[in-house]
Amino acid sequence: NFLQAVDNLKSYAGGKAMYRGTMVPEDMFKGLQPGSVLQSHQLSFFSESDLVARAFIDSSENKVSQPVLFKVKDIPEDIFKEGLLSTFAYDSLKVTLSKRGVSKNKLEGIGSTVKEIISTPGALFQVIELKQIKSDIHKEKITQVNLKFSGVSKGVHDQALF
């Protein structure tokens, strides 16, 4: 069972911001408002690197979804888990980012010291703010959604973390 395997991973100590890049369907994007609460309905993967997270945002001109970078600060200890880093996957990601013009010094730590963080189902995040930001690996601006971790619930909330 995946959840048992995740439970056996090392707890994340927190202390740094964590990021998750994704495409959010247009109708759900409209529901992202300050004060709304999102829930992780499945295993959700974050990175300490906003660059890694932004690499997971589709750079095509997708008109039915919005590019979103979730950012969570002030992460409590022992809530999230540290993922196991795959050197091959991160080496491939670094090659892709390098081809997009990202400098070598910005790639340092990816796949080694930069941690992958896993949120289990039930984690709740409150939307604090939305803002448009420029991304050096995307053609257009993306929306950064600043979140605050607000607990864990066994009940299911309507708005999912994408």
Side-chain angles (χ1 to χ4, degrees):
N1 170 327
F2 286 116
L3 292 178
Q4 287 175 329
V6 170
D7 280 343
N8 292 331
L9 293 172
K10 180 179 173 183
S11 290
Y12 180 64
K16 293 187 178 180
M18 62 184 196
Y19 302 87
R20 176 178 172 78
T22 191
M23 297 297 291
V24 176
E26 187 68 42
D27 58 330
M28 294 179 179
F29 179 79
K30 291 176 183 172
L32 290 175
Q33 301 295 324
S36 60
V37 175
L38 307 177
Q39 183 181 42
S40 179
H41 289 170
Q42 58 193 10
L43 293 177
S44 298
F45 295 84
F46 293 82
S47 176
E48 289 179 334
S49 166
D50 70 320
L51 185 59
V52 169
R54 285 184 285 131
F56 284 90
I57 297 173
D58 183 0
S59 62
S60 68
E61 295 182 17
N62 185 337
K63 300 298 182 200
V64 295
S65 295
Q66 291 292 321
V68 172
L69 177 69
F70 290 107
K71 178 180 181 180
V72 185
K73 294 191 324 188
D74 304 322
I75 302 155
E77 292 183 29
D78 301 328
I79 297 292
F80 302 99
K81 298 292 186 171
E82 281 187 28
L84 301 176
L85 298 176
S86 164
T87 305
F88 174 76
Y90 282 100
D91 284 347
S92 176
L93 177 66
K94 288 194 287 190
V95 168
T96 300
L97 291 171
S98 181
K99 287 180 182 177
R100 290 186 185 174
V102 176
S103 66
K104 199 170 195 173
N105 67 335
K106 284 188 174 183
L107 299 174
E108 285 183 26
I110 293 175
S112 58
T113 58
V114 172
K115 292 182 172 50
E116 181 176 87
I117 305 136
I118 303 171
S119 170
T120 55
L124 300 171
F125 301 90
Q126 182 178 16
V127 175
I128 303 301
E129 149 186 71
L130 289 86
K131 62 182 180 179
Q132 293 290 306
I133 62 169
K134 188 174 177 156
S135 173
D136 54 357
I137 61 172
H138 296 93
K139 298 173 191 164
E140 299 175 4
K141 288 186 176 183
I142 60 177
T143 302
Q144 179 176 306
V145 179
N146 293 328
L147 302 173
K148 179 181 179 184
F149 174 74
S150 58
V152 177
S153 172
K154 291 186 182 203
V156 178
H157 289 254
D158 290 339
Q159 282 190 285
L161 177 71
F162 313 94

